[in-house]
Amino acid sequence: MLPWRGDLAGRIEEGVVDSTMLRGNVLGDPHERPVWVYLPPGYDDTEGSGERYPSVYVIQGYTGHLTMWANRAPFRQPFVETADQVFATGTAPPCIVVYVDAWTSYGGSQFVDSPGTGRYHSYLCDEVVPWVDQRYRTITDRESRAISGKSSGGFGAMITPMLRPDLFGALATHAGDTLYEHCYLPDFAAAARHLRAYDGDIWRWWDDFRSRPAFSKREDESLLTSVGISAAFSASDDGTPVLPYDPRSGVVIDEVWQRWLDWDPVRMVDRYADALRSQRAIWIDAGDADDYHLDLGAQAFRDGLARIGVADEKVAFELFPGTHMAIDYRYPLSLAWLAQRLAR
Amino acid sequence: MLPWRGDLAGRIEEGVVDSTMLRGNVLGDPHERPVWVYLPPGYDDTEGSGERYPSVYVIQGYTGHLTMWANRAPFRQPFVETADQVFATGTAPPCIVVYVDAWTSYGGSQFVDSPGTGRYHSYLCDEVVPWVDQRYRTITDRESRAISGKSSGGFGAMITPMLRPDLFGALATHAGDTLYEHCYLPDFAAAARHLRAYDGDIWRWWDDFRSRPAFSKREDESLLTSVGISAAFSASDDGTPVLPYDPRSGVVIDEVWQRWLDWDPVRMVDRYADALRSQRAIWIDAGDADDYHLDLGAQAFRDGLARIGVADEKVAFELFPGTHMAIDYRYPLSLAWLAQRLAR
Amino acid sequence: MLPWRGDLAGRIEEGVVDSTMLRGNVLGDPHERPVWVYLPPGYDDTEGSGERYPSVYVIQGYTGHLTMWANRAPFRQPFVETADQVFATGTAPPCIVVYVDAWTSYGGSQFVDSPGTGRYHSYLCDEVVPWVDQRYRTITDRESRAISGKSSGGFGAMITPMLRPDLFGALATHAGDTLYEHCYLPDFAAAARHLRAYDGDIWRWWDDFRSRPAFSKREDESLLTSVGISAAFSASDDGTPVLPYDPRSGVVIDEVWQRWLDWDPVRMVDRYADALRSQRAIWIDAGDADDYHLDLGAQAFRDGLARIGVADEKVAFELFPGTHMAIDYRYPLSLAWLAQRLAR
Amino acid sequence: MLPWRGDLAGRIEEGVVDSTMLRGNVLGDPHERPVWVYLPPGYDDTEGSGERYPSVYVIQGYTGHLTMWANRAPFRQPFVETADQVFATGTAPPCIVVYVDAWTSYGGSQFVDSPGTGRYHSYLCDEVVPWVDQRYRTITDRESRAISGKSSGGFGAMITPMLRPDLFGALATHAGDTLYEHCYLPDFAAAARHLRAYDGDIWRWWDDFRSRPAFSKREDESLLTSVGISAAFSASDDGTPVLPYDPRSGVVIDEVWQRWLDWDPVRMVDRYADALRSQRAIWIDAGDADDYHLDLGAQAFRDGLARIGVADEKVAFELFPGTHMAIDYRYPLSLAWLAQRLAR
């Protein structure tokens, strides 16, 4: 394996979705969004044959944006290449893989509709999916459409099929954000301490953050998460993110925190039990020493599926040795597993 | 300063309280408890003069037991000596200082009455206090009686005057346990991971812990806290500690967790507003990088006092540079401050 | 600033150097190596005018390979874009920037000639430089040629002008590897502990490492450094890396360690005093909390320059707040500074 | 086991050694030093019978002073009690245990003679040992005298029998200071960074340290070690500690560092091979995750013994799971092992 590039057996088409949903979003972020559509080996050969393919939508973690999928790392291949190999090697039957962009100026959208960021859930479901289905030979049935992601992308992969089981019939979550008392809440204490240097005003930090190289101060990651997740889950009607904690003491503000908890996949399981039971395949994994305790979230989500009666044979669950970092080698595993289970 | 010993200007009498309250406690811990009573310089000279003294009760952090007050450390003096110097140097007018023992087999009692440990609150208030008042020339009025402690002892120093304002009219909390979402909850995630090695059964760990040198495994501190605080706050009627989290996933169990929160001083402020407003003097401090985020708890407790209308001049508040460790040098500061404010 | 791409005012040509020096290298790594040549705004307009430009060679840190320069990160732009802006904004007069590849199967070469990896120093100096000078309108004098890098690239940027002052007349080192007792030696202890799981045989680890996703075990980074730096500095004649420590106890093996120290820029200063004094400009910086203590190395290197009499006005030195990570925003600062000082 | 006290089957006599050697020491530390002599069960009964006992000298880690042996800890007993149980339970035949004080104003002496601290080696060997032998029924032969300690005490337990095999015929080192490139050198980098706040002048820190509560700043532990170990190993003739590193850059100063290395037990093995081969019993252990890498030092020292031909059956060696802390439960293990092997 040479480090500089990898040739694909399939190919990627780079498109642009001109989103109506994202027009006029509060952050002024672009409504024209890039999208990559991976066409597996054989796709071009079947042109005209009418053969259609299942599709897997891939979404990113917080701060991710589409072109980061092309980033190269030492001793590893990008997912676009390891995903290609799943099909090139015949490990799984061919699928179309759709790389979706949901970046915002805050670093991400959590793939929900929010006045704090924009209508990213609707954009994904009602614009990107039809855009793909119109241009490529997908099987347009939910039984043949899956969604997958890591971290915030794993969160998106859990909630999107809950909200739209008519569109998605399978999912994979790698270290997906859930069990918020252990993934988000611990950071509030850190954030409150960091905010001492900003008189408790997170917007003073934000102005500072925008004025200098990002992540050049150690508080940046923590405070960006506060702003961004508040924008997604607890924005006021005018789009202002509302923090779920007192910025001076870190005291949790119950009513705002509840808005976050309403978006906790572990807590959504019962409310969306039918949607979850209707899934063909659910992959759940995390590193057993995940930095955000998402292994515990994975366990809790998996326990929730058992509680509502999702059949064991539909679930793949693993806590593997690892942290939250450098786990992209897990993605092709779930891709192959999903590809084997989607209807065709 | 020589390291091996320090002579006191006052003196300490070591007594034993034969507690009725602690008889038959569920853990089989002794009902005869040691108590140290420090008599300041001049006390013996005033024998027969009828002169009486304010008293300050001092309680310990989790896993503390009475004789640990005599422990010597490098380059430092024990609190029994630095407390003596407060009076020997005339920094504050003389007080009687009472060192109370509330050890249990789980490491502590949190100074509450609980079927999981015993009636340590009642023992302190209804047995130790009268025992002292009968034997020593204390001023027996609440205005002349204070309580002070660090960590779990700081917790005890916050709640005891809330529950018994008839007995205690002043308090000092150094890094006292409070704001439980930041001091206790983060540990549940760690505990759940540790329990993987014990099939999720904390009693398997407890048996193991008791069979080998304590704290010889890294999980010991975390799991001991789970057992001990559950024993104090959420024991069942038969005395069994009930964990506030699922031992497999760390999911918070709301109804048990609420029992803990009911004992969170930050959350008790409004319920006990009158008792708090009646205090003559309240000292609150913590290291600004406290390992358990008790600086945030201190801030929240202080904010709570302001909210209910405790006058600023009655409160001393400081977040000083430091962690949770090696902060015993703060104790004589609060002792002097309290001694200056107690009625005589 | 949109995250997905940035347009350049200049342009990059991607070439391939067919290296004679690297043919038959012990690791079987390719001898055809990619090279990127950045041509500043105006370069194409001066075609035929005979106008020539200074050049700055840019080399990478350990595990880096050329195409990683194109990686995109959240809220930041790649160096190829921030470098372009240095010239696009007129911050500094135009230069040609050459991005050099010196990747090996061990992750890097340290830009030295070694039987353990290959003749990367000679390749850089005697092949890449002439290749560029033949194809582009560079000023081929040493006074107009600089070299810059971070981490292992900073090391390369320190030593290459020492060895070849005839070629390079200026340099910039960002957190360059030096002061080996603090940057490399601490890791030997960690490595020895890690090797317990491999019976003290680092080649057992290497085989394991190659058989699974890289960096999926926590020992990977440490042990890879051991192998790779030994390959560069202390390989036997047949190319086998020889560790400078006993793999069981971590005891330093003095004669091997001395081979490393012979390559420590701090220790090379006096041996190469003339070469260093001949430099027009030397930029040295590091984060003041660098993970590998390279701030101390930077200080020591800077002190060494003073000791041998390098004039202060030729040196830029700064320890800025930061660690070893996310400091790429420093690169355009040194690029501009160098560009302003190269002869034209 | 109750926490407040433990009764001994034997008894401890507290004495004072009026040392000639320590008179006029450079630090002005007392020359009258406390010593505790533990007399095992049965000792008093054999008064007049002429029965004599082997002796084990116990020395402390850095910053330790004699009375700290009485400190009580949660869920544990002090070594004076666990040592007593070794004999009370008949695990090993009775010995006299001598607790030696070698405290200095810098925190310790490393049990060597140094102009920087005083003649602590000679005091131990030529004053404390005779003092004990004159007052108690010891067997005064080397074959019946051992020395044991942890950390700096383990160091002392390694070197004292090397220097004085005429006095000591057995030893136990728990996490003893050795392999200085991994136990001391890593701290030089930390120290140099800390010294930035003191203009690189460690004596400015020392003045500050003495003016406030010890260990109330995070740099205290590191810088105290620098001062104290320099005082022991590399003091100038007038007693001034000379640092083995440049306080600004952390660069190791070879000639001073060599003075430290001359005191590295791992490096002393060959010079003192006869003395070591003459030992009856050598216990070596350390936690496998020792904070100062003393597990590696233990391994290296054990390897050294094998190299010089110390018979395996004379050596007990174990790397147990643990760090540098809370390992006092190991002390009675080595005490019993030594007691079983001393001549009687």
Side-chain angles (χ1 to χ4, degrees), chain B:
Chain B
M1 178 182 94
L2 292 181
W4 304 295
R5 68 148 202 269
D7 295 322
L8 300 186
R11 64 185 175 85
I12 288 177
E13 289 201 351
E14 304 191 6
V16 172
V17 175
D18 185 348
S19 166
T20 302
M21 301 289 186
L22 299 184
R23 270 176 208 269
N25 67 72
V26 69
L27 294 172
D29 290 325
H31 59 87
E32 296 187 325
R33 306 304 283 250
V35 61
W36 290 357
V37 180
Y38 167 83
L39 304 171
Y43 182 88
D44 292 327
D45 306 331
T46 57
E47 180 78 44
S49 75
E51 181 161 351
R52 304 186 78 85
Y53 296 83
S55 56
V56 180
Y57 286 73
V58 177
I59 52 181
Q60 291 175 300
Y62 207 71
T63 73
H65 50 71
L66 192 70
T67 39
M68 288 171 63
W69 284 117
N71 286 354
R72 304 198 73 79
F75 295 94
R76 289 197 173 190
Q77 288 180 277
F79 178 50
V80 290
E81 295 175 15
T82 58
D84 176 70
Q85 288 167 6
V86 166
F87 306 114
T89 60
T91 304
C95 289
I96 291 170
V97 181
V98 184
Y99 297 89
V100 180
D101 194 84
W103 170 87
T104 76
S105 294
Y106 289 146
S109 67
Q110 296 302 89
F111 312 96
V112 300
D113 289 347
S114 169
T117 51
R119 302 187 60 192
Y120 285 87
H121 170 69
S122 298
Y123 146 79
L124 168 58
C125 292
D126 295 328
E127 296 186 323
V128 179
V129 170
W131 186 96
V132 170
D133 285 347
Q134 287 160 19
R135 282 163 183 76
Y136 298 95
R137 282 179 282 122
T138 53
I139 307 172
T140 58
D141 195 78
R142 71 181 293 277
E143 304 290 328
S144 301
R145 194 183 292 111
I147 186 165
S148 172
K150 179 221 172 181
S151 198
S152 286
F155 165 77
M158 285 185 275
I159 61 149
T160 306
M162 289 199 225
L163 298 172
R164 295 297 300 271
D166 58 309
L167 287 183
F168 293 98
L171 71 92
T173 168
H174 301 283
D177 293 10
T178 191
L179 199 56
Y180 290 176
E181 61 263 52
H182 296 313
C183 92
Y184 287 133
L185 196 145
D187 200 47
F188 299 172
R193 283 179 174 170
H194 290 315
L195 287 172
R196 288 172 186 159
Y198 299 91
D199 283 347
D201 181 352
I202 202 163
W203 299 108
R204 284 190 52 185
W205 165 79
W206 177 249
D207 290 344
D208 180 65
F209 177 74
R210 300 296 286 170
S211 72
R212 56 174 170 81
F215 305 112
S216 55
K217 294 188 179 173
R218 66 193 179 93
E219 58 264 39
D220 288 352
E221 191 183 351
S222 169
L223 297 179
L224 180 65
T225 301
S226 278
V227 168
I229 307 298
S230 295
F233 294 158
S234 57
S236 63
D237 290 344
D238 70 358
T240 308
V242 177
L243 297 181
Y245 57 87
D246 181 315
R248 193 158 92 139
S249 64
V251 171
V252 167
I253 300 169
D254 287 337
E255 55 274 23
V256 187
W257 178 231
Q258 188 59 49
R259 293 183 66 186
W260 288 42
L261 294 181
D262 288 344
W263 278 114
D264 184 347
V266 163
R267 290 170 166 86
M268 294 169 73
V269 162
D270 295 280
R271 270 185 285 144
Y272 293 93
D274 286 342
L276 287 166
R277 279 188 294 258
S278 79
Q279 298 295 305
R280 296 172 71 90
I282 300 178
W283 173 288
I284 307 162
D285 73 13
D288 61 5
D290 186 278
D291 303 80
Y292 306 98
H293 308 111
L294 297 172
D295 48 331
L296 298 174
Q299 180 73 62
F301 188 65
R302 202 269 162 268
D303 290 350
L305 297 184
R307 187 178 63 243
I308 61 168
V310 174
D312 282 354
E313 61 268 25
K314 296 165 80 177
V315 179
F317 175 72
E318 185 179 355
L319 302 185
F320 55 86
T323 68
H324 197 66
M325 301 300 140
I327 65 172
D328 52 279
Y329 74 90
R330 306 286 306 179
Y331 309 169
L333 303 179
S334 70
L335 178 62
W337 189 84
L338 289 174
Q340 290 157 354
R341 280 156 185 78
L342 288 173
R344 43 186 85 231

Side-chain angles (χ1 to χ4, degrees), chain C residues 212-292:
Chain C
R212 55 173 170 81
F215 305 111
S216 55
K217 293 187 179 174
R218 66 193 178 92
E219 58 265 38
D220 288 353
E221 190 182 350
S222 169
L223 296 179
L224 180 65
T225 301
S226 277
V227 168
I229 307 299
S230 295
F233 294 158
S234 57
S236 63
D237 290 345
D238 69 358
T240 307
V242 178
L243 296 181
Y245 57 86
D246 181 315
R248 192 158 90 139
S249 64
V251 172
V252 167
I253 299 169
D254 287 338
E255 54 274 24
V256 187
W257 178 232
Q258 187 59 50
R259 295 182 66 186
W260 288 44
L261 293 181
D262 288 344
W263 278 114
D264 184 348
V266 162
R267 290 170 166 85
M268 294 169 73
V269 162
D270 295 281
R271 271 185 285 144
Y272 294 92
D274 286 342
L276 287 166
R277 279 188 294 257
S278 80
Q279 298 295 305
R280 295 173 71 91
I282 300 179
W283 173 289
I284 307 162
D285 72 14
D288 60 5
D290 186 278
D291 303 79
Y292 306 98

Side-chain angles (χ1 to χ4, degrees), chain C residues 179 181-182 185 188-189 192-193 196 246 248-252 266 288-290 293-296 299-300 303 319, chain D residues 179 181-182 185 188-189 192-193 196 246 248-252 266 288-290 293-296 299-300 303 319:
Chain C
L179 199 55
E181 61 265 50
H182 296 312
L185 197 145
F188 299 172
R193 284 180 174 169
R196 288 173 185 158
D246 181 315
R248 192 158 90 139
S249 64
V251 172
V252 167
V266 162
D288 60 5
D290 186 278
H293 308 110
L294 297 172
D295 48 332
L296 297 175
Q299 180 73 61
D303 290 349
L319 301 185
Chain D
L179 199 56
E181 62 263 52
H182 296 313
L185 198 144
F188 298 171
R193 284 179 174 170
R196 288 173 186 159
D246 181 315
R248 192 158 90 140
S249 63
V251 171
V252 167
V266 163
D288 60 6
D290 186 279
H293 308 112
L294 297 172
D295 49 331
L296 297 174
Q299 180 73 61
D303 290 350
L319 301 185

Side-chain angles (χ1 to χ4, degrees), chain A residues 72-84:
Chain A
R72 304 198 74 80
F75 295 93
R76 289 197 173 189
Q77 289 180 277
F79 178 50
V80 291
E81 295 175 14
T82 58
D84 176 71

Side-chain angles (χ1 to χ4, degrees), chain D residues 273-323:
Chain D
D274 286 342
L276 287 166
R277 279 188 294 257
S278 80
Q279 298 295 305
R280 296 173 70 91
I282 299 178
W283 172 288
I284 306 162
D285 73 13
D288 60 6
D290 186 279
D291 302 80
Y292 306 97
H293 308 112
L294 297 172
D295 49 331
L296 297 174
Q299 180 73 61
F301 188 65
R302 202 270 163 267
D303 290 350
L305 297 184
R307 187 179 63 243
I308 62 168
V310 174
D312 283 354
E313 62 269 23
K314 295 165 80 175
V315 179
F317 175 72
E318 184 178 356
L319 301 185
F320 55 86
T323 68

Side-chain angles (χ1 to χ4, degrees), chain D residues 152-171:
Chain D
S152 286
F155 165 77
M158 284 185 275
I159 62 149
T160 306
M162 289 198 227
L163 298 171
R164 294 299 299 271
D166 58 308
L167 287 182
F168 293 98
L171 72 92

